[in-house]
Amino acid sequence: MTNFDIHKVDFSLVEIELARRLGHELGGFGSNWPVVYTIADSDNVYVGETLNAVNRMNQHKANPERQDLTTLRVIYNEQFNKSVCLDLESYLIRLISGEGRFSLLNRNVGIVDSNYYDRAHYREQFELIFERLKDEGLFEAELEEIQNSDLFKLSPFKALTPDQEIAVGQIMEAITTSLHSDPSSLELIVKGDPGTGKTVVAIYILKMLSDIQSSSDLEDPVSDERFTKFYTERNRDLLGGIKVALVVPQQSLRETVERVFRRTPGLERVQVLTPFGIAESQDRFDLTLVDESHRLGMRSNQPAAMLNKRFSAANERLFGNDGLHLTQLDWIKAKSDKVVLFVDPFQTVKPGDLPTSTVLELVESAKKRENYIEIISQIRVLAGDKYIPFVKELLRGQADESPDFGEYEFELFDDLGSMISTIKQKDEEHGLSRAIAGYAWPWNSKGPKNRHKIDIDEDGVKLQWNGVVKDWINSPGSVSEVGSIHTVQGYDLNYAGVIIGRDLRMDPSDGAVYFD
């Protein structure tokens, strides 16, 4: 395959001189060939692709947000077609956003993970392009370090799967239609199994709403961008000044999302709240998105006396009584005009979570009102869409045989020490590899006075539960601990070593799996 080239030009040149330089130095690549480009200064960067670099740069020079950028890099290869350039543009946007060194000036208008002929071979050159740009100072971190970061994994510039793209379009249509013509409340249910990217879709929506709010009449829409139709003056006016919140029930994931939002232009204005936070807020919200809504809590099962008091006070403040039937979902509905709930009825974890029956009722009600959206494609597990249904069938005793999971790595261990050694080796090679388990062993090491105690003692291996609750996966020493479900739900791992406790059993008489 012919080698790529990166041509560097001073973007501060006046329009006529810049056009002359590009036309002369790029030749046919400057006016009639698909190319990818970056325009940057010390703090900001814009990434784009175009068939006519000369004309496109004139458009950027007329844009107040980009006209003072200083360095243009044009990336081209005689074998790069339009599909390759769109993929490379998406690749660079995600990496720049994921590293977080620059403020990315791109709007969120729709990056979709599309396949094309010989993609794997072109992708090999993408890594070489990254290394070249790193040598020129556009990146500092190593590629794997960026791809393993929270900012990359939760970036609003993720490439969407086709059904995530459909879901984003449907959610945006519902929100904007409701703002335009329906003054009544909106309750939209978005259902997805584990690993389908519900959190990514929620963040994507929030970034797009922020981008529409700050869009300008001088913006130059590109016809093949998926969500350009939402960037209208009418939507900008309707969204201007609205109060938007994201509620994240899980403490560990919430703090990670807050960190991502602080480093993403436009998202720093979005309030990331606990369920208690929205109930106790002095604000009323025009729109609230709730991630992992099935983890919202009930009145009767709070884990601490102080939380029981806060729950009671919130109920009294919002409803004038402390009815045991009231839940954190009721708080959110009372404080918000329009609500988008991301749910999985079968991912409840604690006794205090909303009952599965309640979440299923929400789903059925939304279907009847035609306010229901489902995300199906599996993106977290390399085994693909067949994996989660197979595991569910396996646990129900309904699986006849294992489907073909392609290159997915699956290994069974009968010795805990061997598995822990493998996980540590994978962490050295790829990062983000952790041991996790269901709560089948007591938490002896809980609290500062008990940190020396052992929690899991099997096969001569002594281990402790996660030493911290917040952002355990990224905490020092986590590779030598065991994470509970509360610390890993919503996170991505490269490799997971699952310790199966004595709470999961099999009846030898009929092979049925049951929980004890």
Side-chain angles (χ1 to χ4, degrees), residues 282-301:
Q282 297 300 311
D283 294 326
R284 180 172 181 81
F285 294 91
D286 300 286
L287 173 66
T288 300
L289 278 65
V290 187
D291 191 36
E292 307 286 353
S293 301
H294 45 274
R295 297 300 315 279
L296 294 171
M298 299 185 293
R299 169 70 179 86
S300 56
N301 284 294

Side-chain angles (χ1 to χ4, degrees), residues 381-449:
V381 180
L382 189 61
D385 297 343
K386 298 178 182 178
Y387 183 75
I388 298 297
F390 169 73
V391 171
K392 290 180 178 179
E393 290 176 0
L394 184 67
L395 293 175
R396 289 195 295 260
Q398 299 172 349
D400 295 326
E401 59 182 29
S402 172
D404 180 7
F405 294 132
E407 298 180 1
Y408 181 67
E409 293 184 50
F410 181 83
E411 186 174 356
L412 291 172
F413 294 85
D414 57 10
D415 178 77
L416 180 58
S418 297
M419 190 186 78
I420 295 299
S421 296
T422 299
I423 285 297
K424 289 183 176 180
Q425 179 183 345
K426 293 294 186 183
D427 190 66
E428 289 182 4
E429 295 173 357
H430 306 284
L432 286 182
S433 302
R434 300 290 183 270
I436 58 178
Y439 193 55
W441 293 267
W443 194 355
N444 300 318
S445 62
K446 186 176 184 179
K449 295 181 179 179

